[in-house]
């Protein structure tokens, strides 16, 4: 009886990298259009903050944005480190995951600051 084939961890990372890239493409466009629209509309920083505070949709948008950016960046750095300096293995993978989550955490903290 054949054992079921298990996919390599690299395949999962490749998929996450591509999905986060698609999310980031969309989120960056929405973010920039929102900024340009607000500035051209004459909104001040205070007025923009007034609109984001207590807005759950804004909080969700920026939390997902931060998570996507953190994971995307960490996977990219992991691949660069593996290809250029040979940094590979479980320990390196865990280190890059921590870097990604920390980066995402900083973004989420900023989003919560806009929401609160």
């Amino acid at each position: 009886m054949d054992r079921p084939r298990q996919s390599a961890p690299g395949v999962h990372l490749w998929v996450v990298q591509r999905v986060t890239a698609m999310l980031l493409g969309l989120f960056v466009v929405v973010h920039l259009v929102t900024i340009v629209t607000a500035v051209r509309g004459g909104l001040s920083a205070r007025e923009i903050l007034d609109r984001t505070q207590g807005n759950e949709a804004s909080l969700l948008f920026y939390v997902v944005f931060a998570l996507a950016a953190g994971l995307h960046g960490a996977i990219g750095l992991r691949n660069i480190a593996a290809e250029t300096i040979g940094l590979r293995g479980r320990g390196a993978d865990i280190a890059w995951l921590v870097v990604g989550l920390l980066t995402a955490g900083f973004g989420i903290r900023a989003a919560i600051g806009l929401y609160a």
Side-chain angles (χ1 to χ4, degrees):
M1 215 166 156
D2 290 337
R3 292 178 59 189
R5 237 177 101 156
Q6 294 183 4
S7 62
V11 172
H12 293 100
L13 292 175
W14 184 89
V15 170
V16 171
Q17 184 79 10
R18 289 344 179 247
V19 170
T20 56
M22 288 185 279
L23 288 172
L24 288 171
L26 174 65
F27 287 5
V28 167
V29 169
V30 171
H31 177 72
L32 291 175
V33 167
T34 302
I35 290 172
V36 169
T37 303
V39 170
R40 285 193 166 190
L43 293 177
S44 69
R46 175 77 278 173
E47 291 168 321
I48 293 169
L49 284 175
D50 287 342
R51 290 181 181 201
T52 62
Q53 290 176 337
N55 185 331
E56 287 87 11
S58 176
L59 176 63
L60 179 63
F61 175 83
Y62 284 108
V63 165
V64 174
F65 195 162
L67 282 170
L71 290 174
H72 185 82
I75 293 168
L77 290 172
R78 174 196 175 271
N79 293 337
I80 291 168
E83 291 172 11
T84 58
I85 60 175
L87 186 60
R88 292 182 171 87
R90 188 135 180 95
D93 290 346
I94 290 169
W96 288 118
L97 177 62
V98 169
V99 167
L101 293 175
L102 279 173
T103 304
F106 294 139
I108 291 168
R109 183 173 177 216
I112 290 170
L114 290 174
Y115 174 79

